């Protein structure tokens, strides 16, 4: 079964189960750059994708956007008022304060005052995080997909897939499915 046929099959019949009995979907079958190209969410779920995206944003002088987004994601998982206060202050001082070392570009009226840091809650940065996410999604993400960083990584993935070892594994897999 060729890759094209498999992808068409998965696209039109996502409800069909994989070899382990789990429902298969096009998102589960995609990996690496193919998955990154489907959405910014998929890119940010993959540590290698985040690494490459950060590398790209660094060249664009906007790495603070993804760092802020990641810090907010971690903050949401924080337990305990004292730890939340510490992390909230760290995020504020690093990304939001007028003296921040890596200040993010969010709408002025959305900025938090330091007083809110005393009573933190997991979603206190959500509006600002959403602004930064949308900024990345509608601005830098599309440029990333056209960048040398992305295209070179995609090319190296394709070369690995077309290597003799990968070809042999694909042939073994097709024999299994064709029996």
């Amino acid at each position: 079964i060729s890759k094209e046929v498999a992808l068409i099959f998965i696209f039109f019949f996502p409800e069909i189960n994989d070899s382990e009995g789990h429902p298969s979907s096009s998102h589960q079958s995609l990996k690496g750059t193919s998955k990154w190209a489907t959405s910014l969410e998929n890119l940010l779920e993959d540590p290698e994708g985040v690494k490459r995206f950060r590398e790209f944003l660094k060249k664009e002088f906007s790495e603070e956007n993804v760092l802020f987004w990641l810090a907010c994601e971690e903050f949401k998982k924080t337990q305990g008022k004292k730890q939340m206060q510490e992390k909230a202050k760290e995020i504020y001082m690093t990304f939001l304060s007028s003296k921040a070392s890596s200040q993010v570009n969010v709408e002025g009226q959305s900025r938090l005052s330091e007083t809110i840091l005393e009573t933190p809650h997991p979603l206190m940065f959500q509006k600002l995080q959403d602004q930064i996410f949308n900024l990345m999604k509608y601005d830098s993400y599309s440029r990333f997909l056209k960048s040398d960083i992305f295209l070179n990584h995609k090319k190296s993935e394709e070369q690995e897939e077309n290597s003799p070892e990968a070809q042999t594994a694909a042939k073994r897999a097709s024999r299994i499915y064709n029996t």
Side-chain angles (χ1 to χ4, degrees), residues 120-171:
H121 58 88
L123 300 177
M124 67 188 281
F125 297 116
Q126 191 63 53
K127 282 184 181 177
L128 302 176
Q129 186 185 16
D130 290 345
Q131 278 186 39
I132 292 300
F133 179 85
N134 285 328
L135 179 69
M136 291 188 300
K137 183 175 182 174
Y138 297 110
D139 184 42
S140 43
Y141 173 65
S142 57
R143 285 195 309 280
F144 170 71
L145 295 178
K146 297 172 191 160
S147 73
D148 287 343
I149 292 171
F150 176 80
L151 296 173
N152 289 338
H153 192 72
K154 183 178 180 180
K155 188 184 294 183
S156 68
E157 272 183 357
E158 289 167 354
Q159 288 171 347
E160 283 177 26
E161 284 177 15
N162 293 329
S163 70
E165 298 83 29
Q167 296 279 332
T168 305
K171 285 179 185 172

Side-chain angles (χ1 to χ4, degrees), residues 65-164:
N65 291 335
V66 74
L67 294 176
F68 173 73
W69 188 89
L70 291 167
C72 291
E73 285 298 294
E74 278 303 306
F75 178 76
K76 291 175 192 175
K77 301 173 192 169
T78 305
Q79 301 292 312
K81 185 178 179 187
K82 183 96 173 121
Q83 288 86 349
M84 284 189 100
Q85 284 176 325
E86 289 171 8
K87 282 194 175 186
K89 185 171 182 164
E90 186 180 318
I91 288 172
Y92 179 82
M93 297 308 286
T94 305
F95 300 105
L96 301 170
S97 160
S98 59
K99 301 172 193 151
S101 56
S102 298
Q103 192 176 39
V104 291
N105 184 17
V106 289
E107 292 177 25
Q109 69 270 22
S110 303
R111 290 198 183 276
L112 303 173
S113 68
E114 283 188 64
T115 55
I116 198 168
L117 300 176
E118 298 305 313
T119 55
H121 58 88
L123 300 177
M124 67 188 281
F125 297 116
Q126 191 63 53
K127 282 184 181 177
L128 302 176
Q129 186 185 16
D130 290 345
Q131 278 186 39
I132 292 300
F133 179 85
N134 285 328
L135 179 69
M136 291 188 300
K137 183 175 182 174
Y138 297 110
D139 184 42
S140 43
Y141 173 65
S142 57
R143 285 195 309 280
F144 170 71
L145 295 178
K146 297 172 191 160
S147 73
D148 287 343
I149 292 171
F150 176 80
L151 296 173
N152 289 338
H153 192 72
K154 183 178 180 180
K155 188 184 294 183
S156 68
E157 272 183 357
E158 289 167 354
Q159 288 171 347
E160 283 177 26
E161 284 177 15
N162 293 329
S163 70

